[in-house]
Amino acid sequence: MNVGEWKYENGNTSLVLRLKKELHYQISQNSNYEDLLVGEYKYVENGVVKANTLSNFDNPIIAGYDHKISGGVFVHFSPNNCLDSSESQEIKVELFIEDPSDENIEGLLILRYVVENGIEKLQTCIYDYTTLSDDVNDRIIIPDGYYVFEKQ
């Protein structure tokens, strides 16, 4: 998986993902080490900034699952509402994306790295996966859907 900054843009709506590898992360003293893909994001809808956590990207106090984007599960599928052109044997990366104002509101990102005509892209399925909130109407600010990001 390629790290760095990625941007989706559609009119005056945009989503920026900033990702990096975090090696040998340990949740607690008694847990195994794991490698993660972590990051932060900025979501602008109709020219209005709805969420922006990019300033936390290089904060040395924030590590591992404390980032608003985190994970590293390998999957071979996308949800039925978010089909891409991948083959079933292709590996994608699944990450959590957390609402900046409420850690109980989260979604999933399923990332597929491709190069099209020399341009690096992330074909991404984003969907709400809020299971811990007490309010059934709580959901991530980013609409469910299929997004194509370009490397910046």
Side-chain angles (χ1 to χ4, degrees):
M1 177 57 56
N2 219 336
V3 298
E5 188 162 290
W6 302 84
K7 186 173 188 177
Y8 163 83
E9 204 163 25
N10 183 7
N12 57 359
T13 295
S14 65
L15 178 57
V16 173
L17 306 177
R18 195 173 293 161
L19 304 171
K20 64 183 173 182
K21 293 178 190 175
E22 194 165 297
L23 304 177
H24 308 296
Y25 178 73
Q26 191 176 27
I27 296 173
S28 69
Q29 296 263 344
N30 298 326
S31 66
N32 293 325
Y33 290 96
E34 57 184 309
D35 294 342
L36 298 175
L37 191 59
V38 299
E40 301 295 334
Y41 67 98
K42 179 180 181 181
Y43 177 61
V44 177
E45 183 178 77
N46 295 321
V48 177
V49 177
K50 298 286 190 168
N52 186 358
T53 68
L54 293 177
S55 64
N56 293 329
F57 186 75
D58 289 319
N59 185 335
I61 297 171
I62 299 173
Y65 292 105
D66 291 332
H67 281 282
K68 295 303 177 191
I69 298 173
S70 62
V73 174
F74 297 118
V75 296
H76 293 277
F77 64 89
S78 291
N80 289 337
N81 64 334
C82 205
L83 298 177
D84 59 28
S85 60
S86 65
E87 301 294 327
S88 61
Q89 68 272 17
E90 278 187 68
I91 296 174
K92 301 171 188 68
V93 177
E94 182 181 82
L95 306 173
F96 284 100
I97 184 166
E98 190 178 289
D99 186 273
S101 61
D102 188 338
E103 66 184 20
N104 291 324
I105 300 173
E106 62 187 0
L108 289 175
L109 305 174
I110 298 177
L111 310 175
R112 177 181 182 231
Y113 175 77
V114 297
V115 178
E116 292 179 347
N117 300 318
I119 300 171
E120 293 179 273
K121 296 182 179 184
L122 284 180
Q123 296 175 343
T124 306
C125 181
I126 301 176
Y127 61 100
D128 183 67
Y129 194 71
T130 300
T131 57
L132 299 175
S133 177
D134 292 332
D135 185 344
V136 295
N137 295 314
D138 281 346
R139 66 166 329 284
I140 59 171
I141 192 85
I142 303 165
D144 292 359
Y146 178 74
Y147 298 80
V148 178
F149 293 82
E150 289 190 2
K151 181 84 180 257
Q152 300 299 293

